[in-house]
C-alpha cells in the first residue's frame, strides 16, 4: 500500500505518484480534453508542488490480554483522539508477538500501530511501530490520568486536528528526532480525513523532561463573543483547559524493524519495574537478617567486655 | 558462534559489547538509585551497555519522514523553546512549563493561520460530536459547583465566627462602659452630698450636680421596640405565637413554658403574683389525670 519513499528518490517518484493521486480523467477545458501528457508536463514544471501529498496514515490500536481497567480507558481515550485509527481486538500470543502483530497490521491495511502491553496487571508498555519495515519503539508508560477524571474539565471536537507542540530538546539528539517524526505521523490527524473536523481547538504538548516524554492535551478556549475567524484582541484572552489524558513515556529501546529487529537505541538510564520491585523486596528481606546479626554482635560484645559489678545493685533489694 | 559475532560487530559501530541481563542487575544494585516518580527509578550512572547506533537512527529517520516540501498544514507541528530546566518532582512548575509551551504554540499557530486566512477557532454555533459526552460534562460541572459551594460555606462559617467574636468583644466593652458610667455617677452624687454637707445644706439650685437622670427620660420606656407586648405580659409576647403545623396543646404548653422560663421573655416582670397570673392555667395539663391519681379507676 504505502510505497516506501526514500528521500533521494523524492523528485523521481513524485510525478508518478501524482498520476495515481490525480484524477483519472483528463482535464476538461473549453477547447476539448486536455491530454494526460499535458497535465504531466504542467505538473512537471513545478516538481516541488506539495499539493499532491496525501497523508494516508492509518494507525492500528490494540492491547494485550489481561490489561488493567485504567490502561484500557487510556487506550480508548487515544482511540477517540485519533480519528485515523482502527481499534482491533486483544492480542493473545506471548511468543512470536512481533510476527502476529505485523500480520494484523497488514491485514487491516494500516501503516502504523500503537500496541499497549500490560504486564502483571501493573506495568504498561506502549509500542509505537511503523508497519512495513519501519522503526519501532518500546516505552514504559507512567503517571496515567484518563479523560474520565473529573479534574480534567476541558472538552473539544471529536476528530478535530490537533496542533502538535514539541519542546526544543527534541532536536538535541538523533533518537529524539526519530521519535518526534514518529509522533507527528501517528498523532497528527491527516488533513482531509473523512472523520476530521475543520477547526483547531486543541493542542497536544510533547515535552522532554528528565529524559521522559510528557504528553498533555489542552482545549483552546476563547471567550465567546470574539471567537471569530479574524480575532485580534481575543488572542490575549485565550486560555487553555486541560482535556486529558495525561501520560509519561519512558523510552526503553528503539528497534530497526517493526516489533523486532536489531536494536538501534537502548536507554542507559532505564530500570525495569520488575527490578525495582525486586530491589525493594531485597532491601526489606535484609531487615530481619540484619536484626539477628546485630543481636549476636551485641551478645559477643557483652561477653567479651563484662561489666564491673554495680555498687548500687543491692540498694533497693528487700 | 562465528557468523554471529560478525553480526554483532557490524551492528555495534560504537564499542559496546552486547550484555546479558545479569550484568544489568548487578549494575543497578551497585549504584544508588533515585526515585523520580512512582515506580520509576533511574540509574544514577548510565549503564555502560547501552547501544546507540546513531547512523542507523538517522537512516531510519530519513526512511520514514515525509518529503521535505510538504506543506506545514499537514504536519501542524510547532517547536517551542524551553528556556529553563524544569524539575520533574515540582508538579506545579512542571505543569506550568507545559501550559506555557502549549500557549506559545497556540499563539504561533494562530498567527500562521491568520496570515493564511484560514479558520482557526471554532465558532460558537458549530455543534458537533465532542470527545466527552454531555453527561460527563454535567458531572464535571456538578463537581465544580460543589467545590465552589464548599469554599463559600467555609468562608461564611469563618466570617460568622469572626463576627461572633467581634460582637462578643463589643458587648463586653459596652458592659464595661456602663459599669464605669454607673460608678462615676454614684461617685458624683457622693461628692455632691459631701459638698452639701460641708457647706451646710444651704445652697440653692446653682450647686446641683448635673446628674443624668434628671431629664425624666428614665420613666419612658426603653427604646427597644417590642411590638405587641403589653407591660403586664409575663410571657414576653411569645404566648400569642403558635399555630402553624404543630397545633396540639403540647406544643402550646411547650411554647408557653419556653416563653416563661426560656430566653427572650420580657425582662424584669417575670414572676408576679397578680390577678391575671392566678388564673393562668396555660401551663397545666387540661383534663388530664383529674382527681387523685392514687385512687384506682
Amino acid at each position: 500500500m504505502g510505497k516506501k519513499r526514500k528521500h533521494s528518490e523524492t523528485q523521481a517518484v513524485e510525478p508518478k505518484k501524482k498520476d495515481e493521486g490525480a484524477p483519472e480523467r483528463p482535464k476538461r477545458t473549453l477547447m476539448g480534453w486536455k491530454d494526460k501528457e499535458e497535465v504531466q508536463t504542467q505538473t512537471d514544471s513545478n516538481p516541488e508542488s506539495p499539493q499532491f501529498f496525501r497523508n494516508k496514515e492509518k494507525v492500528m490500536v490494540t492491547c494485550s490480554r489481561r490489561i488493567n481497567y485504567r490502561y484500557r480507558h487510556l487506550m480508548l481515550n487515544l482511540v477517540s483522539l485519533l480519528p485515523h485509527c482502527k481499534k482491533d481486538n486483544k492480542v493473545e500470543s506471548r511468543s512470536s508477538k512481533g510476527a502476529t502483530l505485523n500480520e494484523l497490521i497488514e491485514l487491516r491495511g494500516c501503516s502504523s500501530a500503537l500496541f499497549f502491553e500490560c504486564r502483571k496487571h501493573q506495568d504498561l508498555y506502549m509500542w509505537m511501530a511503523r508497519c512495513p519495515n519501519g522503526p519501532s519503539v518500546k516505552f514504559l508508560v507512567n503517571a496515567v490520568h484518563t479523560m474520565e477524571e473529573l479534574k480534567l474539565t476541558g472538552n473539544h471536537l471529536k476528530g478535530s486536528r490537533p496542533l502538535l507542540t514539541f519542546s526544543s530538546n527534541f532536536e538535541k539528539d538523533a533518537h529524539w528526532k526519530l521519535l518526534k517524526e514518529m509522533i507527528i505521523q501517528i498523532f497528527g490527524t491527516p488533513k482531509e480525513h473523512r472523520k476530521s473536523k475543520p477547526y483547531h481547538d486543541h493542542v497536544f504538548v510533547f515535552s522532554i523532561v528528565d529524559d521522559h516524554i510528557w504528553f498533555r492535551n489542552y482545549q483552546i478556549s476563547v471567550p465567546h463573543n470574539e471567537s471569530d475567524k479574524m480575532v485580534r484582541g481575543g488572542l490575549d484572552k485565550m486560555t487553555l483547559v486541560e482535556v486529558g489524558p495525561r501520560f509519561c513515556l519512558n523510552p526503553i529501546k528503539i528497534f530497526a524493524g517493526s516489533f523486532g529487529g536489531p536494536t538501534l537505541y537502548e536507554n542507559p538510564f532505564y530500570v525495569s519495574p520488575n527490578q525495582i520491585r525486586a530491589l525493594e523486596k531485597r532491601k526489606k528481606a535484609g531487615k530481619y537478617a540484619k536484626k539477628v546479626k546485630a543481636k549476636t554482635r551485641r551478645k559477643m560484645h557483652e561477653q567479651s567486655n563484662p561489666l564491673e559489678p554495680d555498687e548500687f545493685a543491692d540498694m533497693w533489694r528487700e | 558462534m562465528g557468523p554471529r559475532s560478525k553480526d554483532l560487530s557490524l551492528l555495534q559501530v560504537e564499542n559496546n559489547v552486547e550484555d546479558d541481563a545479569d550484568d544489568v542487575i548487578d549494575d543497578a544494585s551497585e549504584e544508588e538509585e533515585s526515585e523520580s516518580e512512582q515506580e520509576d527509578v533511574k540509574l544514577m550512572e548510565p549503564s555502560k551497555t547501552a547501544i546507540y547506533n546513531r547512523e542507523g537512527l538517522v537512516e531510519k529517520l530519513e526512511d520514514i519522514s515525509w518529503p521535505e516540501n510538504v506543506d506545514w498544514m499537514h504536519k501542524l507541528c510547532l517547536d517551542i523553546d524551553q528556556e529553563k530546566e524544569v524539575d520533574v518532582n515540582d508538579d506545579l512548575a512542571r505543569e506550568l512549563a507545559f501550559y506555557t509551551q502549549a500557549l506559545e504554540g497556540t499563539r504561533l499557530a494562530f498567527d500562521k493561520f491568520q496570515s493564511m486566512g484560514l479558520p482557526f477557532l471554532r465558532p460558537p454555533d458549530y455543534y458537533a460530536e465532542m470527545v466527552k459526552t454531555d453527561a460527563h460534562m454535567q458531572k464535571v460541572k456538578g463537581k465544580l459547583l460543589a467545590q465552589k459551594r464548599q469554599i463559600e460555606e467555609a468562608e461564611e462559617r469563618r466570617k460568622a465566627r469572626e463576627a461572633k467574636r467581634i460582637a462578643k468583644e463589643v458587648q463586653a466593652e459596652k458592659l464595661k462602659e456602663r459599669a464605669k458610667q454607673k460608678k462615676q455617677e454614684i461617685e458624683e452624687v457622693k461628692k455632691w452630698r459631701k459638698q452639701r454637707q460641708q457647706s451646710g445644706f444651704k445652697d440653692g439650685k446653682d450647686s446641683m450636680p448635673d446628674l443624668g437622670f434628671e431629664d425624666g427620660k428614665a420613666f419612658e420606656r426603653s427604646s427597644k421596640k417590642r411590638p405587641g407586648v403589653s407591660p403586664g405580659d409575663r410571657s414576653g409576647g411569645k404566648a400569642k405565637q403558635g399555630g402553624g403545623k404543630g397545633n396540639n396543646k403540647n406544643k402550646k404548653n411547650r411554647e408557653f413554658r419556653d416563653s416563661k422560663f426560656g430566653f427572650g421573655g420580657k425582662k424584669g416582670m417575670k414572676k408576679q403574683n397578680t390577678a391575671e397570673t392566678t388564673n393562668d392555667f396555660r401551663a397545666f395539663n387540661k383534663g388530664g389525670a383529674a382527681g387523685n391519681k392514687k385512687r384506682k379507676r
Side-chain angles (χ1 to χ4, degrees):
Chain A
M1 212 178 162
K3 187 173 167 192
K4 186 169 76 169
R5 227 180 287 139
K6 279 212 189 299
H7 183 58
S8 52
E9 296 177 350
T10 314
Q11 311 295 333
V13 177
E14 278 277 45
K16 288 212 192 91
K17 277 272 166 206
K18 275 176 214 154
D19 260 1
E20 292 170 27
E24 298 291 340
R25 276 180 297 162
K27 265 189 177 174
R28 188 178 177 182
T29 62
L30 286 174
M31 298 315 205
W33 299 90
K34 248 194 203 174
D35 269 354
K36 263 196 194 169
E37 291 97 28
E38 285 203 21
V39 171
Q40 201 168 5
T41 49
Q42 208 172 47
T43 49
D44 266 345
S45 59
N46 43 353
E48 309 223 312
S49 62
Q51 61 252 33
F52 289 94
F53 167 76
R54 284 203 55 192
N55 183 0
K56 294 188 188 160
E57 186 79 27
K58 286 203 211 9
V59 181
M60 187 181 84
V61 178
T62 35
C63 63
S64 67
R65 271 191 72 210
R66 291 176 283 266
I67 191 170
N68 208 2
Y69 65 93
R70 185 178 278 269
Y71 303 140
R72 191 165 27 101
H73 279 288
L74 176 68
M75 184 184 77
L76 293 174
N77 288 155
L78 280 182
V79 165
S80 68
L81 283 182
L82 312 177
H84 57 292
C85 80
K86 293 184 183 174
K87 184 178 170 310
D88 209 16
N89 300 324
K90 290 185 192 168
V91 168
E92 167 67 66
S93 67
R94 292 258 280 181
S95 61
S96 75
K97 185 173 61 182
T100 326
L101 281 168
N102 281 324
E103 272 179 32
L104 267 177
I105 302 176
E106 288 282 340
L107 211 60
R108 301 295 306 262
C110 294
S111 60
S112 311
L114 278 178
F115 175 59
F116 291 92
E117 181 181 0
C118 182
R119 288 292 186 95
K120 291 190 175 180
H121 267 296
Q122 283 174 7
D123 318 315
L124 181 69
Y125 296 95
M126 184 169 102
W127 290 81
M128 221 192 255
R130 186 141 189 85
C131 168
N133 29 22
S136 53
V137 199
K138 182 176 181 187
F139 295 105
L140 174 66
V141 184
N142 280 330
V144 172
H145 295 264
T146 61
M147 276 200 303
E148 278 86 14
E149 295 195 1
L150 292 179
K151 293 213 169 115
L152 306 173
T153 52
N155 201 356
H156 64 262
L157 285 173
K158 183 165 182 171
S160 63
R161 296 188 68 210
L163 298 169
L164 306 165
T165 53
F166 295 91
S167 65
S168 54
N169 33 11
F170 269 99
E171 298 294 329
K172 293 249 173 83
D173 228 343
H175 63 280
W176 295 126
K177 284 193 210 163
L178 181 63
L179 285 177
K180 178 178 169 178
E181 189 62 36
M182 292 185 76
I183 287 175
I184 292 178
Q185 294 186 2
I186 289 182
F187 283 88
T189 307
K191 188 154 166 242
E192 272 113 29
H193 192 79
R194 241 183 355 245
K195 296 187 193 162
S196 69
K197 304 279 187 324
Y199 305 105
H200 302 86
D201 56 354
H202 65 295
V203 198
F204 284 172
V205 172
F206 294 93
S207 157
I208 301 181
V209 177
D210 192 28
D211 282 337
H212 292 240
I213 300 181
W214 296 76
F215 171 84
R216 297 283 184 272
N217 176 14
Y218 294 99
Q219 171 202 3
I220 303 170
S221 85
V222 163
H224 258 292
N225 49 359
E226 307 184 48
S227 58
D228 248 6
K229 286 199 282 186
M230 294 298 169
V231 152
R232 240 154 285 270
L235 200 55
D236 301 327
K237 300 207 196 108
M238 179 162 58
T239 52
L240 299 172
V241 189
E242 180 145 13
V243 176
R246 283 187 182 182
F247 51 88
C248 166
L249 299 172
N250 185 2
I252 304 175
K253 277 192 176 184
I254 303 185
F255 300 100
S258 164
F259 292 105
T263 314
L264 291 177
Y265 167 75
E266 200 179 311
N267 186 356
F269 294 105
Y270 170 69
V271 180
S272 94
N274 285 332
Q275 286 172 14
I276 299 172
R277 286 191 281 261
L279 279 165
E280 284 198 14
K281 273 199 193 153
R282 248 180 258 167
K283 260 194 258 177
K284 281 194 201 156
K287 239 199 240 178
Y288 179 66
K290 279 191 204 150
K291 234 200 287 190
V292 167
K293 267 196 215 164
K295 252 194 189 169
T296 51
R297 213 179 27 234
R298 174 80 187 156
K299 229 191 227 177
M300 300 305 291
H301 179 82
E302 274 183 14
Q303 276 177 4
S304 54
N305 320 344
L307 285 170
E308 299 152 10
D310 196 10
E311 299 169 12
F312 302 108
D314 293 337
M315 205 151 126
W316 302 112
R317 199 166 300 188
E318 295 298 324
Chain B
M1 268 326 253
R4 200 155 169 255
S5 58
K6 239 196 278 177
D7 276 348
L8 288 175
S9 63
L10 275 174
L11 280 174
Q12 271 96 48
V13 186
E14 268 82 11
N15 50 1
N16 300 320
V17 179
E18 194 95 40
D19 217 82
D20 50 339
D22 299 330
D23 275 4
V24 178
I25 291 180
D26 281 349
D27 270 346
S29 59
E30 278 172 322
E31 290 148 0
E32 298 285 321
E33 266 129 28
S34 63
E35 282 284 326
S36 56
E37 264 185 90
Q38 72 246 46
E39 297 181 12
D40 187 42
V41 169
K42 208 169 111 163
L43 298 175
M44 283 300 276
E45 300 168 14
S47 138
K48 297 172 188 61
T49 65
I51 302 175
Y52 204 123
N53 188 353
R54 235 171 264 265
E55 283 137 19
L57 288 168
V58 172
E59 197 190 310
K60 276 294 166 182
L61 177 60
E62 287 174 4
D63 273 351
I64 65 168
S65 60
W66 292 334
E68 290 263 315
N69 46 16
V70 163
D71 213 5
W72 177 78
M73 284 297 293
H74 287 275
K75 282 206 223 176
L76 282 186
C77 83
L78 298 131
D79 279 326
I80 310 298
D81 209 8
Q82 206 182 33
E83 285 100 28
K84 51 186 171 65
E85 276 296 311
V86 182
D87 180 24
V88 185
N89 295 322
D90 185 5
D91 288 338
L92 204 57
R94 197 183 63 212
E95 296 300 320
L96 192 63
F98 297 151
Y99 186 88
T100 41
Q101 185 181 328
L103 206 57
E104 270 295 315
T106 321
R107 294 228 172 105
L108 285 174
F110 187 71
D111 289 334
K112 278 195 184 164
F113 271 88
Q114 265 203 322
S115 65
M116 287 198 269
L118 294 163
F120 181 63
L121 295 165
R122 178 164 58 98
D125 52 357
Y126 184 86
Y127 291 117
E129 186 184 357
M130 308 285 266
V131 117
K132 292 187 190 173
T133 60
D134 280 341
H136 186 263
M137 296 314 282
Q138 284 285 343
K139 267 196 255 177
V140 168
K141 192 163 95 165
K143 179 133 192 255
L144 282 176
L145 284 175
Q147 265 181 349
K148 207 159 58 156
R149 204 175 40 229
Q150 249 183 348
I151 292 176
E152 275 173 17
E153 274 179 11
E155 271 291 320
E156 267 178 46
R157 260 185 252 132
R158 200 172 349 129
K159 279 208 194 109
R161 220 176 25 232
E162 284 294 319
K164 195 167 169 187
R165 190 151 52 94
I166 286 177
K168 218 169 176 147
E169 281 176 9
V170 165
Q171 189 71 4
E173 276 293 317
K174 244 198 269 180
L175 281 176
K176 259 197 269 184
E177 268 293 316
R178 266 194 229 142
K180 209 165 65 165
Q181 256 316 23
K182 193 166 172 184
K183 220 177 178 184
Q184 223 180 12
E185 283 175 9
I186 290 178
E187 288 293 314
E188 277 195 16
V189 170
K190 275 196 194 149
K191 244 182 9 192
W192 179 75
R193 286 212 348 237
K194 231 190 230 171
Q195 252 190 346
R196 282 271 304 227
Q197 252 183 1
Q198 283 173 2
S199 54
F201 297 105
K202 62 173 175 50
D203 288 321
K205 295 262 169 66
D206 44 353
S207 70
M208 285 286 246
D210 187 13
L211 301 165
F213 55 82
E214 289 262 296
D215 304 356
K217 273 204 190 147
F219 292 110
E220 288 177 5
R221 260 182 238 146
S222 72
S223 57
K224 291 192 187 161
K225 295 196 179 87
R226 295 292 302 265
V229 175
S230 55
D233 191 0
R234 274 208 274 167
S235 69
K238 298 219 171 158
K240 285 237 160 73
Q241 292 175 10
K245 279 192 266 182
N247 230 345
N248 44 5
K249 60 184 177 178
N250 282 331
K251 196 75 186 290
K252 196 166 150 221
N253 202 358
R254 185 70 257 160
E255 277 180 24
F256 181 71
R257 289 170 78 78
D258 262 349
S259 68
K260 190 168 169 191
F261 303 108
F263 359 93
K266 195 161 169 73
K267 288 192 191 318
M269 311 265 272
K270 282 203 179 159
K271 291 185 192 172
Q272 281 189 337
N273 204 359
T274 62
E276 292 162 335
T277 61
T278 311
N279 297 323
D280 199 344
F281 283 115
R282 278 179 290 180
F284 292 100
N285 211 353
K286 283 188 190 156
N292 202 350
K293 273 195 216 164
K294 285 187 187 165
R295 190 175 63 124
K296 281 191 194 155
R297 290 184 184 272

